[in-house]
Structure formats: C-alpha cells, structure tokens
Amino acid sequence: MPVAVGRRHVPPLVADVALGVCVAVGLLVAAVLEIGPVAAASPRPADAGAGALAATVAAAIAVRRRYPVAALVVLNAVSIGWFLGAYPGRLVVLAPLIGCYTLAAHRGWRWGLAGAVLTALVQILAIRVVLGDVATVGVVPDAVLSVATASSAGTAVGYYRMVLAATRAQFARETRSREERAHRIAVEERLRIARELHDVFGHAMATISVQAGVGLHVVDQRPGQAREALAAIKKICDEGLTDVKSILGILRADTSPGEGPEQPRSPLGGLERLTDLLDMAEAGGLRVELDVDDDAGPLPAPADLAAYRIIQEALTNVLRHAGARTVRLTVEREPSRLLIRVRDDGPTTGADTSRGHGIEGMRERARALSGRLVAAPHPEGGFEVCAELPLPDRR
C-alpha cells in the first residue's frame, strides 16, 4: 500500500537562524584560513572581535524577514567594521547582499532600490578606505553588479509572491462563488419541488375532503352519489400519485432499473389538463364559468406549467376557504403575455386565503417567469387572483 509522503514545512525563523549560523561560520573559517581576497596589506588574525562581528551577522540574518531594514543596516555596518578591523578576507561583503535581497522581496522594488544604493555606497567606501584609489577602479563595477543582482532577484521573488497570493485569493473567491451558486441553485430547486408538492397535495387533499364530506352526507340516502364521490376520490388520488412520482423522478440522476425511457421526467401539468382540474372543482360543489381564449395556442412549457399550477392553487383556496358557489376562470393570451383571472363569489375578505404558502407560492411562480400576481378581495365582492405571465412573441 503506497504511503503519501508530504514535504515538511520548515518555519521561516528556523531557516533564517540556520542560514545566519552558516554564513557566520563560513565567514570565520574564511578569515582563519585566509580564503578569498585579502582585506588589508597586513591583516590581523581572527580574534574575539571577528567572532563578535560574525555573531552579529548571524543575528541580523536570523531576523531579516521581520526587520529587513534594520538587518540591512546592521549587515552594512558589520562590513565596515570588518574592513576597519583589518580582518583577513573580503567575503564579509556577501552578507549585505542577503539583506538587499530580503528588503526587495518583502518591501518592494522601491525599498530594494534604496537598499541597493546604500549597500553599493558602503562597499565602495569600505573598498576605497582599505585598498586605495588605484584598486577601486576595478572593484567598484563588481560591487555594484553584485548588489544590483541581489536586489533584482529579491524584487522578482517579491513580485512572484504577490502574483501568487493574488492568484490564490482569486481562486478562493471563485471557489466560494461556485459553492454559493451551487447552494443557491440547490435551495431554489428544493423550493421549486416543495411548491410542486404543495400544489399537488393541497389541491388533492382539498378536493378529497370535499368529496369525502359529500359521501358521508349522502351514504345512507343516496348510495349512488356516495359511490360517485368515492370514484372521484380514487381518480384524484391516482392523478396526485402520478404527479408526485413525476416530481420525485426529477431527483434521480438516471432512470431506475426496470423503468422504461417513457417514464415522465418532469411534473405533469399544463392547460391541456385544465378540463380535469375543472371537473374536480365541480365535483367539489363549485360551478365554474370558463372563459378561455380559443386562440391561446401552444404555450412555452414553463408558462404552461405555471399557469396550470396557479389555477390549481387558486381553485384549491376557493374550495378550502372561500365558501363560494361559483368561480369564474378567464384565460386570455395577448401577443406578449398570458392573463389569468380566478374570481369567486364567496363572502371571504381574503384574510383566510393568505394562510399558509399558497398565495406566496403563486407569486413566486409568476416572479420566476418575470411576471406578477395580485390576490385581493374584489370591489364587487368575492376574491380574485390575477396573474400576468410574459410570453415570447409568436412569429
């Protein structure tokens, strides 16, 4: 079984301490062995002063990330002190280059340029003091080039880190945006399915309740009418179960084994089923006056389903709350919109119809299609639901 091995992250402070110790040890070893260019005509051997300067270099490098400006100043000061002490070797001039790199990487190119100019001037001054004007001519370009290289490298690294941080932040924002969008879509889908189930069950239960009441009322005196009520209940239940099965089928990613491709994948409903809907309302004791535009023609599927569900919910509210005997349904198609009006003659003031989520569910269906819905008592009596659904122009 393969074992994943991840890289161990070394804390920056530990890395800087290790780097500072290595530089200090290298500086002392080079001084003792007199490795590198001589710093003076008569250098003195490395002593406690050289050790103190090397320790200072180690300490400055250890805190270079936290205090880049102070670290660079200290490293340049150590370089001057090394030359003035006439210790052997000139490798000490490499220590300020670390400070130049760090300053440019952490503070940007402007600070890096200022640090490079300061370091170049310090090194040129130290070299002139120790070597004299004759040797300075050949050494100055090397000193300036090395300082410029270190500062440029730090600037490049700092820019890379900045771009990397911005890229990661952008990626994080996009990831959050995708997650929020996916969550919003999931919530909207759940609400849509909840509305479908509410409409199906609400209408079915309201009609069943009315039919059951009729059956109980006439079961002894008129058995035939009671039988008709039971048959209507069975029909309502069968159609309701078909709708529920269709709604739940949307939640499946694939067709379940044993089900053919003809299995409905979207909720059944549309104005083509309007007759069945009105039959159920009439079976519940309502008299329906229908005024439907004969030239309505085929509607877009979303508008067709929304119109059916709005009419279904409006009729359900009439059966439940209105106490009405007659309801007038008007469906009119205009070039750019579909108008639906459901008005009953009940005594309700509209307070009861606002219970639950029925009215709000109808409004949400209309809003989802950029339409609108108004439900309020009619000035001439009764209660009216008026919906306006936008439609594409027919060519």
Side-chain angles (χ1 to χ4, degrees):
M1 180 179 178
V3 179
V5 179
R7 294 187 304 172
R8 296 182 61 184
H9 179 68
V10 179
L13 180 59
V14 175
D16 289 341
V17 169
L19 177 61
V21 171
C22 291
V23 171
V25 171
L27 183 60
L28 290 176
V29 170
V32 171
L33 300 179
E34 297 185 359
I35 299 174
V38 295
S42 301
R44 68 180 185 181
D47 54 14
L53 291 175
T56 304
V57 168
I61 293 177
V63 298
R64 65 189 179 96
R65 299 177 198 252
R66 189 170 182 180
Y67 307 105
V69 177
L72 179 61
V73 171
V74 170
L75 291 174
N76 278 307
V78 169
S79 178
I80 294 177
W82 191 274
F83 278 96
L84 293 178
Y87 292 111
R90 282 207 316 270
L91 295 182
V92 70
V93 298
L94 299 179
L97 300 183
I98 299 176
C100 289
Y101 167 87
T102 303
L103 182 61
H106 287 79
R107 294 292 182 86
W109 68 269
R110 292 182 177 85
W111 281 92
L113 178 61
V117 171
L118 172 65
T119 302
L121 292 176
V122 168
Q123 293 195 3
I124 292 173
L125 175 63
I127 292 171
R128 288 176 62 91
V129 170
V130 175
L131 299 180
D133 294 341
V134 177
T136 303
V137 177
V139 175
V140 167
D142 294 337
V144 173
L145 180 61
S146 61
V147 171
T149 301
S151 182
S152 299
T155 301
V157 170
Y159 179 76
Y160 168 76
R161 290 173 178 170
M162 181 178 64
V163 172
L164 183 61
T167 302
R168 288 176 176 173
Q170 178 66 21
F171 178 76
R173 287 193 297 270
E174 292 177 356
T175 300
R176 287 194 300 270
S177 177
R178 286 194 298 268
E179 292 176 351
E180 291 172 357
R181 184 166 58 251
H183 177 72
R184 185 172 62 253
I185 292 174
V187 170
E188 292 174 354
E189 182 66 11
R190 286 196 296 269
L191 291 176
R192 188 182 68 83
I193 294 173
R195 284 197 299 269
E196 294 289 343
L197 291 174
H198 171 272
D199 292 346
V200 170
F201 281 117
H203 177 74
M205 292 300 102
T207 310
I208 288 173
S209 176
V210 172
Q211 292 292 341
V214 172
L216 289 173
H217 183 69
V218 302
V219 65
D220 295 327
Q221 292 82 9
R222 294 189 291 269
Q225 188 175 352
R227 188 178 299 106
E228 291 177 0
L230 292 175
I233 290 174
K234 183 180 184 302
K235 180 181 178 182
I236 294 168
C237 291
D238 291 341
E239 292 181 353
L241 289 174
T242 300
D243 281 351
V244 171
K245 187 176 181 180
S246 176
I247 293 171
L248 296 180
I250 300 174
L251 301 178
R252 299 193 302 262
D254 302 302
T255 302
S256 302
E259 294 184 352
E262 71 279 359
Q263 188 69 20
R265 301 292 293 167
S266 60
L268 298 177
L271 294 184
E272 74 278 358
R273 294 183 59 193
L274 187 58
T275 302
D276 296 336
L277 194 61
L278 299 182
D279 289 343
M280 294 181 191
E282 290 178 345
L286 282 176
R287 185 170 65 87
V288 180
E289 298 178 357
L290 183 62
D291 183 8
V292 178
D293 188 356
D294 295 333
D295 191 33
L299 297 173
D304 196 21
L305 177 60
Y308 176 82
R309 293 304 188 197
I310 288 173
I311 295 172
Q312 183 184 53
E313 179 63 26
L315 293 177
T316 300
N317 284 339
V318 173
L319 287 171
R320 283 179 174 175
H321 311 296
R325 294 183 178 181
T326 304
V327 61
R328 180 174 182 81
L329 171 61
T330 303
V331 180
E332 180 181 358
R333 176 165 183 171
E334 297 183 356
S336 60
R337 63 178 182 170
L338 181 70
L339 295 178
I340 301 169
R341 290 187 178 88
V342 181
R343 179 188 170 191
D344 64 69
D345 61 354
T348 179
T349 61
D352 291 338
T353 59
S354 63
R355 282 190 272 176
H357 302 284
I359 298 292
E360 187 59 31
M362 290 190 288
R363 286 198 181 99
E364 287 297 329
R365 286 188 180 277
R367 287 196 202 104
L369 299 178
S370 300
R372 65 189 185 93
L373 183 141
V374 177
H378 195 273
E380 297 179 3
F383 195 82
E384 183 180 57
V385 173
C386 182
E388 178 183 326
L389 305 178
L391 298 175
D393 292 336
R394 289 184 288 183
R395 299 296 182 183

